[in-house]
Amino acid sequence: MASSHSSSPVPQGSSRDVFFKKEVDPTKHIRPVQSLPDVCPKEPTGDSNSLCVTPSLVTDQHRWTIYHSKVNLPAALNDPRLAKRESDFFTKTWGLDFVDTEVIPSFYLPQISKEHFTVYQQEISQEKTHERCKNICPPKDTFDRTLLHTHDKSRTDLEQVPIFMKPDFALDDSLTFNSVLPWSHFNTAGGKGNRDAASSKLLQEKLSHYLDIVEVNIAHQISLRSEAFFHAMTSQHELQDYLKKTSQAVKMLRDKIAQIDKVMCEGSLHILRLALTRNNCVKVYNKLKLMATVHQTQPTVQVLLSTSEFVGALDLIATTQEVLQQELQGIHSFRHLGSQLCELEKLIDKMMIAEFSTYSHSDLNRPLDDDCQILEEERLVSLVFGLLKQRKLNFLEIYSEEMIITAKNIIKQCVINKVSQIEEIDTDVIVKLADQMRMLNFPQWFDLLKDIFSKFTIFLQRVKATLNIIHSVVLSVLDKNRRTRELEEISQQKNAAKDNSLDTEVAYLIHEGLFISDAFNESELTPIAIDTTSQRNASPNSEPCSSDSVSEPECTTDSSSSKEQTSSSATPGGVDMMGNEDMKLTDLELEKLANNIQELLYSASDICHDRAVKFLMSRAKDGFLEKLNSTEFITLSRLMETFILDTEHICGRKSMSLLGALQSQANKFVNRFHEERKTKLSLLLDNERWKQADVPAEFQDLVDSISDGKIALPEKKSGVTEERKPAEVLIVEGQQYAVVGTVLLLIRIILEYCQCVDNIPSVTTDMLTRLSDLLKYFNSRSCQLVLGAGALQVVGLKTITTKNLALSSRCLQLIVHYIPVIRAHFEARLQPKQYSMLRHFDHITKDYHDHIAEISAKLVAIMDSLFDKLLSKYEVKAPVPSACFRNICKQMAKMHEAIFDLLPEEQTQMLFLRINASYKLHLKKQLSHLNVINDGGPQNGLVTADVAFYTGNLQALKGLKDLDLNMSEIWEQKR
């Protein structure tokens, strides 16, 4: 079956189809029968001859698809695999009986191979065929006419073919398909009949006729151009012969050239190439080795930074940057390394500043009880070297700021520790630390101050040790700079000598345009490379891994100028000079830095003194320092003076801020000492209810120490002391004194004045005057409160009782008892010319005695008014004893009960004698008013009985048994 156009999706039938054959007239030309292609071409199998491993444009463009199907319509429709056919395809039973069987080769047909056609191919040659075609072909003029006639005829024949010759012919179009195969011929509505069979046969013959027309035209066109085809074939053979001869001539020429090259040039050039290859390999190896070393720069820097080796990291970065600029310039893979190293260097600067700040914080804030003076000395030295290398001279400011913060933290931490130990301070109620600190008493605050001073001393010692290390580093850098300048001068001289000795001959190699001097001068440059390596390894602060980077001049670029530059820069100290030339500190800067370090030590002392002054002022806001007694103030003064001397010894200069504060506080202490105690006494008196107070054991001990001649406040005994109950009275030299709490505190205040005189002899006269004023104030104020009844309004007492009066009298007697002792104490400390000031004590004693007498008179006056009130209503009548005398005895008993435990027995007897005299006077007056006389009458008997009752009750009172009442004085003498 002949194939149609390759783009046709459905194949066309022909006269050579298997299933449809056209009966041909035997008289007509019979074409040779050709075999049909397969109905369904198979897909490529796995055969090695039919498959190509690699993709091929030639093969793939002819790869079979469903659109390449070129079978006839019956073959496409008659699929033997289907068990049932559609009703509209020819017959309903078409293909039901088909069985897939293999075609058995015929035994009668021989196996034909190429060898059977060999004789035939030899007989038919191209020349004979060409000659035969020339004979067959008509002359040119005849051919033109024939061609024109044939062309018109072919065109007329082809016009008989319908839509098959259209350029847009495609069977997938439904209209085209219906035109080719009209379905009306296959309509089975009327059943199977002769008409349908005739229509199908007619359609098949029509299509076969179209195919014959096309084949005839194709054969005619080929025959018209056969001469051109044979001429092209002949020209192709001649061209192949000419190319074959040319190829043989070229091959012979190449063989001769190869022999000449092998004999004359190959050996010599091979030697040169090997030498150049070796040299290039060495260069490449060294360059790769250098690149590998440079590639490890960043990890190595990270490792160095992890161990705080900042100087080593900076030196490595400087060396790497030098290598990048000189020996690895233009390397594409390292194009960003330079900027990365610059950023890394900036990062190291920040890291060093942060590390130094961290070190300063760790060094100054570590526990002060640590014996180690310097924290990680090697780390400090490395940091200082790195900071000096990078010209980061502001690290002293960082250290100074850290010192200020640490000094604040020392005081704060000491206060927190001390406050946390005091249970009486409620930190939840009192939030501010300064307020909590002000809650401390003097011993607690003094211990706190002593702790602060000791911590400051240790702090200054550590600062001094750290600054000494920094100072030594600065001096070592200063010395190193001087030695480096000397080494640079020597290095420059050596470089000049080497530059003169290295005169390299430049020879060009035509092959690849490279220098052969690199191959021949390797032996001359090797000693120089060894010397450079030793210098690089011997350079200070350089890394071993960077020694290979400039170990050999082969690592340089392929130019003589770059080699000379590298060899001249790889000098002893060259790395330091390149890395530190812009950042090298001058001698003046280093000396100034050393002076700043010493000034920083002075500043540390001033910082400690300033913080101590602020601490003192914070505590002195409530007048705490002015309230200190002389012993406490002297102790404080000595502590501060000791601290001032210690800081002067450590830092070499005395700070004046704390000393000035001490002097100022001393002046305020003396001026406010009296006012504070006078105010305290005033408050005590204003709040005194004039009731007998229990006497704590410490006050009894205080009085006992005065009796022993020690006029001073007793020192607090350390350790645990057994608690003693307070006594009801104060025993002074065997006498009992019932006192109020104010007097006890007054005695203590008086002793504070005396002790202040002992500790500060210069203020003796001032203290004497102020103590006199204090005693006078107590006398006058107590008189106002008790005798003047001021306590009724001030304290809110309902009345001033006899007991209040007796307590006041006894308190005054106690003060009078100690006035001679106080006078003797001041007299021993006064100059002879100042003895006149002792008269103040004489006046005070007289005032106190007058006050005591007034109190006694007040007690008598109270009973006198009572007698006057009661006896004025007295009537001489039964019963006996009368109600009046009963009341009088009752009031006398109350009076006795109120004063007997307060006043001594002698004073009680004297007081009751005076009261009895008042009683007798009022009774005598009343009896005279009643005209009752001592006549032995009934009235006389009643009065005598009442008087006997009064006398018995009075003498029955404790301490009044032997009291001589002399009641006979109540009767008027007869005229």
Side-chain angles (χ1 to χ4, degrees):
M1 179 181 104
S3 63
S4 65
H5 193 270
S6 63
S7 62
S8 299
V10 180
Q12 299 177 359
S14 67
S15 59
R16 292 164 291 179
D17 292 337
V18 176
F19 301 102
F20 298 98
K21 290 187 178 181
K22 178 182 178 182
E23 295 182 2
V24 184
D25 189 1
T27 60
K28 295 183 179 180
H29 174 72
I30 299 176
R31 292 172 294 171
V33 180
Q34 299 180 0
S35 62
L36 293 173
D38 293 337
V39 174
C40 293
K42 298 181 180 179
E43 291 287 342
T45 61
D47 189 7
S48 61
N49 296 328
S50 62
L51 291 178
C52 184
V53 178
T54 60
S56 174
L57 181 61
V58 178
T59 305
D60 293 342
Q61 68 179 347
H62 299 294
R63 186 176 181 181
W64 186 90
T65 63
I66 59 174
Y67 299 105
H68 292 76
S69 177
K70 300 177 182 179
V71 297
N72 53 21
L73 184 59
L77 297 176
N78 297 331
D79 189 353
R81 293 174 294 181
L82 297 178
K84 187 176 181 181
R85 298 299 170 193
E86 295 295 335
S87 60
D88 56 349
F89 285 138
F90 300 102
T91 61
K92 294 182 179 180
T93 60
W94 180 269
L96 290 178
D97 298 331
F98 290 173
V99 179
D100 292 336
T101 57
E102 294 183 359
V103 179
I104 300 175
S106 176
F107 298 102
Y108 302 100
L109 298 177
Q111 295 294 331
I112 304 301
S113 62
K114 283 187 176 183
E115 297 176 354
H116 292 80
F117 300 95
T118 303
V119 179
Y120 175 75
Q121 290 176 352
Q122 291 176 356
E123 293 177 355
I124 301 174
S125 61
Q126 294 180 359
E127 292 80 2
K128 294 180 179 181
T129 305
H130 182 61
E131 291 294 334
R132 185 170 61 254
C133 290
K134 287 176 66 177
N135 296 328
I136 295 173
C137 292
K140 184 174 182 181
D141 53 352
T142 308
F143 174 78
D144 293 337
R145 289 190 301 269
T146 306
L147 180 61
L148 182 59
H149 175 72
T150 305
H151 177 71
D152 295 337
K153 184 179 179 181
S154 298
R155 184 173 182 179
T156 303
D157 295 336
L158 291 176
E159 287 178 354
Q160 299 177 9
V161 180
I163 60 176
F164 293 100
M165 302 304 296
K166 292 183 179 181
D168 56 348
F169 175 79
L171 287 177
D172 54 357
D173 186 9
S174 59
L175 296 177
T176 305
F177 187 82
N178 291 330
S179 300
V180 175
L181 296 175
W183 290 102
S184 60
H185 295 278
F186 304 99
N187 188 6
T188 58
K192 182 172 66 173
N194 296 327
R195 182 180 179 181
D196 294 336
S199 297
S200 298
K201 186 175 181 181
L202 180 61
L203 177 61
Q204 182 177 0
E205 291 178 354
K206 182 179 180 180
L207 293 176
S208 298
H209 175 66
Y210 292 158
L211 179 61
D212 293 339
I213 293 173
V214 173
E215 288 179 352
V216 169
N217 280 277
I218 291 174
H220 180 66
Q221 293 295 330
I222 293 175
S223 64
L224 293 177
R225 291 168 177 79
S226 60
E227 183 178 359
F229 291 158
F230 287 111
H231 178 71
M233 293 296 297
T234 305
S235 300
Q236 183 69 21
H237 284 288
E238 293 177 358
L239 181 60
Q240 289 179 355
D241 294 339
Y242 179 75
L243 291 176
K244 185 175 181 180
K245 294 178 181 179
T246 304
S247 176
Q248 293 176 354
V250 170
K251 183 178 179 181
M252 293 176 60
L253 180 60
R254 285 181 176 179
D255 292 339
K256 293 180 180 179
I257 293 175
Q259 292 177 1
I260 295 172
D261 181 67
K262 184 176 181 181
V263 174
M264 300 182 64
C265 302
E266 184 176 355
S268 302
L269 289 177
H270 184 64
I271 294 173
L272 293 177
R273 289 194 187 97
L274 289 177
L276 186 59
T277 302
R278 181 183 179 278
N279 190 20
N280 290 337
C281 290
V282 171
K283 284 184 179 182
V284 172
Y285 170 75
N286 290 328
K287 187 72 70 175
L288 292 175
K289 188 176 180 181
L290 178 60
M291 292 175 64
T293 303
V294 171
H295 182 68
Q296 293 298 320
T297 298
Q298 289 178 316
T300 306
V301 169
Q302 296 295 335
V303 173
L304 293 174
L305 293 180
S306 64
T307 58
S308 299
E309 292 290 340
F310 297 105
V311 178
L314 290 172
D315 288 338
L316 179 58
I317 290 174
T319 304
T320 305
Q321 287 177 338
E322 177 191 359
V323 172
L324 287 174
Q325 293 174 2
Q326 296 182 4
E327 302 177 16
L328 295 180
Q329 188 174 7
I331 300 298
H332 186 71
S333 59
F334 289 151
R335 64 187 183 280
H336 300 304
L337 183 59
S339 60
Q340 292 174 357
L341 293 178
C342 292
E343 294 297 328
L344 188 59
E345 189 173 2
K346 294 179 182 179
L347 177 62
I348 292 175
D349 292 346
K350 296 179 181 179
M351 289 180 62
M352 286 192 298
I353 295 295
E355 184 72 12
F356 185 81
S357 178
T358 304
Y359 174 83
S360 302
H361 180 78
S362 302
D363 179 43
L364 297 178
N365 290 277
R366 58 195 170 102
L368 294 173
D369 53 358
D370 189 4
D371 296 334
C372 181
Q373 291 291 334
I374 303 175
L375 178 66
E376 300 180 12
E377 181 177 352
E378 295 180 355
R379 177 185 174 191
L380 175 61
V381 172
S382 176
L383 280 172
V384 175
F385 268 119
L387 292 170
L388 294 178
K389 182 180 180 65
Q390 299 300 104
R391 298 181 64 88
K392 301 297 180 181
L393 303 183
N394 58 340
F395 67 93
L396 292 181
E397 298 176 1
I398 297 175
Y399 197 78
S400 177
E401 294 174 357
E402 193 63 38
M403 286 193 305
I404 296 174
I405 297 174
T406 304
K408 293 180 181 179
N409 292 336
I410 287 175
I411 295 180
K412 182 178 181 180
Q413 190 62 40
C414 290
V415 173
I416 292 175
N417 294 338
K418 189 65 179 179
V419 170
S420 63
Q421 298 174 2
I422 308 301
E423 298 180 355
E424 291 80 5
I425 300 177
D426 189 357
T427 56
D428 296 333
V429 178
I430 306 174
V431 180
K432 292 185 178 181
L433 190 61
D435 297 336
Q436 296 175 3
M437 182 265 295
R438 295 188 186 97
M439 297 294 294
L440 300 176
N441 54 30
F442 176 77
Q444 296 169 346
W445 181 81
F446 183 78
D447 292 339
L448 174 60
L449 183 62
K450 185 187 294 183
D451 185 35
I452 291 173
F453 283 165
S454 63
K455 296 292 178 61
F456 273 158
T457 303
I458 299 174
F459 168 72
L460 290 176
Q461 291 174 352
R462 289 185 176 179
V463 170
K464 182 180 180 181
T466 302
L467 293 180
N468 286 339
I469 295 298
I470 298 176
H471 189 266
S472 63
V473 171
V474 172
L475 294 181
S476 65
V477 172
L478 180 61
D479 181 66
K480 180 182 178 181
N481 286 349
R482 295 170 181 172
R483 289 187 287 106
T484 301
R485 284 196 297 270
E486 297 176 358
L487 292 175
E488 287 177 355
E489 294 176 357
I490 299 174
S491 175
Q492 290 175 0
Q493 295 176 359
K494 290 183 178 180
N495 288 338
K498 290 179 180 179
D499 290 339
N500 294 330
S501 62
L502 292 177
D503 187 10
T504 306
E505 295 181 358
V506 180
Y508 292 96
L509 179 65
I510 298 198
H511 178 69
E512 297 180 358
L514 299 178
F515 296 106
I516 63 172
S517 58
D518 294 336
F520 292 114
N521 294 336
E522 182 180 2
S523 60
E524 298 178 2
L525 296 179
T526 301
I528 301 173
I530 296 173
D531 182 55
T532 304
T533 304
S534 62
Q535 293 165 4
R536 181 76 67 167
N537 292 332
S539 61
N541 301 327
S542 62
E543 293 298 323
C545 63
S546 63
S547 61
D548 293 333
S549 62
V550 290
S551 60
E552 295 181 2
E554 288 82 3
C555 299
T556 61
T557 57
D558 296 326
S559 68
S560 60
S561 60
S562 62
K563 285 199 307 175
E564 293 173 0
Q565 182 181 359
T566 304
S567 61
S568 63
S569 63
T571 58
V575 174
D576 289 342
M577 185 167 58
M578 291 291 294
N580 298 334
E581 184 176 3
D582 296 333
M583 297 185 178
K584 186 184 296 182
L585 295 171
T586 62
D587 294 349
L588 182 61
E589 290 176 330
L590 292 173
E591 292 172 358
K592 183 178 179 180
L593 184 61
N595 295 331
N596 291 339
I597 293 173
Q598 186 62 38
E599 290 295 331
L600 186 59
L601 183 59
Y602 298 153
S603 176
S605 176
D606 294 338
I607 289 171
C608 293
H609 281 250
D610 292 341
R611 299 314 304 178
V613 169
K614 289 183 179 180
F615 177 75
L616 291 174
M617 294 300 103
S618 176
R619 189 63 181 92
K621 285 184 178 181
D622 55 353
F624 174 78
L625 299 179
E626 290 80 5
K627 298 175 185 178
L628 299 178
N629 57 44
S630 58
T631 302
E632 293 172 343
F633 189 81
I634 289 299
T635 306
L636 176 63
S637 176
R638 290 175 182 173
L639 177 63
M640 295 170 68
E641 290 175 355
T642 303
F643 176 69
I644 292 171
L645 293 176
D646 291 341
T647 55
E648 181 182 4
H649 176 71
I650 294 173
C651 301
R653 189 179 70 178
K654 180 183 289 186
S655 298
M656 302 302 297
S657 59
L658 187 59
L659 184 60
L662 176 61
Q663 294 174 352
S664 176
Q665 290 299 323
N667 296 331
K668 293 180 180 180
F669 170 78
V670 175
N671 293 330
R672 297 187 60 182
F673 182 87
H674 173 67
E675 293 297 327
E676 188 272 338
R677 280 151 182 78
K678 186 176 180 180
T679 303
K680 180 179 180 180
L681 180 60
S682 177
L683 293 175
L684 290 173
L685 289 172
D686 291 341
N687 292 280
E688 182 60 63
R689 304 188 66 86
W690 298 99
K691 292 182 180 181
Q692 182 179 358
D694 292 336
V695 180
E698 60 182 54
F699 285 94
Q700 184 62 53
D701 296 338
L702 182 64
V703 171
D704 295 340
S705 65
I706 296 174
S707 301
D708 296 337
K710 184 179 180 181
I711 304 178
L713 294 174
E715 298 179 358
K716 291 186 178 181
K717 298 179 181 180
S718 59
V720 180
T721 57
E722 60 179 289
E723 296 182 358
R724 292 180 293 172
K725 295 181 179 181
E728 295 181 355
V729 295
L730 183 68
I731 301 175
V732 181
E733 296 179 357
Q735 293 186 11
Q736 296 181 355
Y737 287 87
V739 295
V740 295
T742 303
V743 174
L744 294 175
L745 296 175
L746 177 60
I747 294 174
R748 184 180 184 89
I749 291 173
I750 293 171
L751 291 181
E752 289 177 359
Y753 277 79
C754 296
Q755 189 172 6
C756 182
V757 171
D758 291 336
N759 294 328
I760 310 176
S762 60
V763 298
T764 301
T765 55
D766 192 24
M767 285 295 178
L768 189 150
T769 304
R770 296 177 185 277
L771 180 58
S772 301
D773 181 69
L774 184 71
L775 294 175
K776 290 178 182 180
Y777 177 78
F778 174 76
N779 184 40
S780 62
R781 186 59 178 163
S782 61
C783 181
Q784 293 174 5
L785 293 173
V786 180
L787 288 178
L792 298 179
Q793 292 80 20
V794 176
V795 184
L797 297 178
K798 296 180 180 181
T799 183
I800 302 297
T801 63
T802 56
K803 191 171 185 177
N804 299 139
L805 294 170
L807 273 174
S808 177
S809 175
R810 195 57 175 164
C811 291
L812 293 172
Q813 293 173 22
L814 178 62
I815 300 301
V816 170
H817 174 79
Y818 281 114
I819 287 177
V821 179
I822 297 171
R823 173 178 178 149
H825 181 79
F826 276 87
E827 184 178 3
R829 287 155 180 81
L830 286 175
Q831 299 296 331
K833 61 182 179 180
Q834 298 173 341
Y835 285 165
S836 60
M837 298 184 67
L838 297 174
R839 68 180 184 275
H840 293 290
F841 294 106
D842 297 333
H843 298 315
I844 293 170
T845 302
K846 182 178 179 302
D847 294 337
Y848 273 68
H849 282 301
D850 294 340
H851 190 183
I852 294 170
E854 290 177 5
I855 292 174
S856 298
K858 182 65 175 178
L859 291 173
V860 174
I862 291 172
M863 296 305 296
D864 184 78
S865 62
L866 180 65
F867 293 152
D868 184 41
K869 180 180 180 181
L870 294 176
L871 291 176
S872 64
K873 299 178 181 181
Y874 175 69
E875 295 179 357
V876 183
K877 61 180 180 179
V880 177
S882 64
C884 177
F885 274 79
R886 288 179 182 274
N887 290 333
I888 290 174
C889 291
K890 183 178 179 180
Q891 294 298 328
M892 292 292 283
K894 287 182 179 181
M895 170 66 77
H896 180 272
E897 182 182 2
I899 67 175
F900 181 80
D901 293 333
L902 302 178
L903 299 177
E905 186 175 351
E906 296 81 7
Q907 293 185 19
T908 304
Q909 292 178 358
M910 291 299 297
L911 181 61
F912 271 90
L913 286 175
R914 293 178 63 183
I915 293 172
N916 184 60
S918 176
Y919 165 76
K920 289 188 294 183
L921 181 62
H922 284 281
L923 181 59
K924 183 178 179 179
K925 181 180 178 182
Q926 182 66 18
L927 291 176
S928 176
H929 177 71
L930 296 175
N931 294 321
V932 178
I933 59 175
N934 188 11
D935 57 354
Q939 290 183 340
N940 181 263
L942 292 173
V943 172
T944 302
D946 287 333
V947 171
F949 174 77
Y950 163 79
T951 303
N953 280 279
L954 186 60
Q955 290 182 345
L957 297 175
K958 187 177 181 179
L960 302 180
K961 182 178 181 180
D962 298 332
L963 189 66
D964 186 10
L965 300 179
N966 194 10
M967 297 303 297
S968 61
E969 296 179 356
I970 64 173
W971 304 106
E972 290 185 356
Q973 296 179 0
K974 295 181 180 180
R975 296 178 180 176

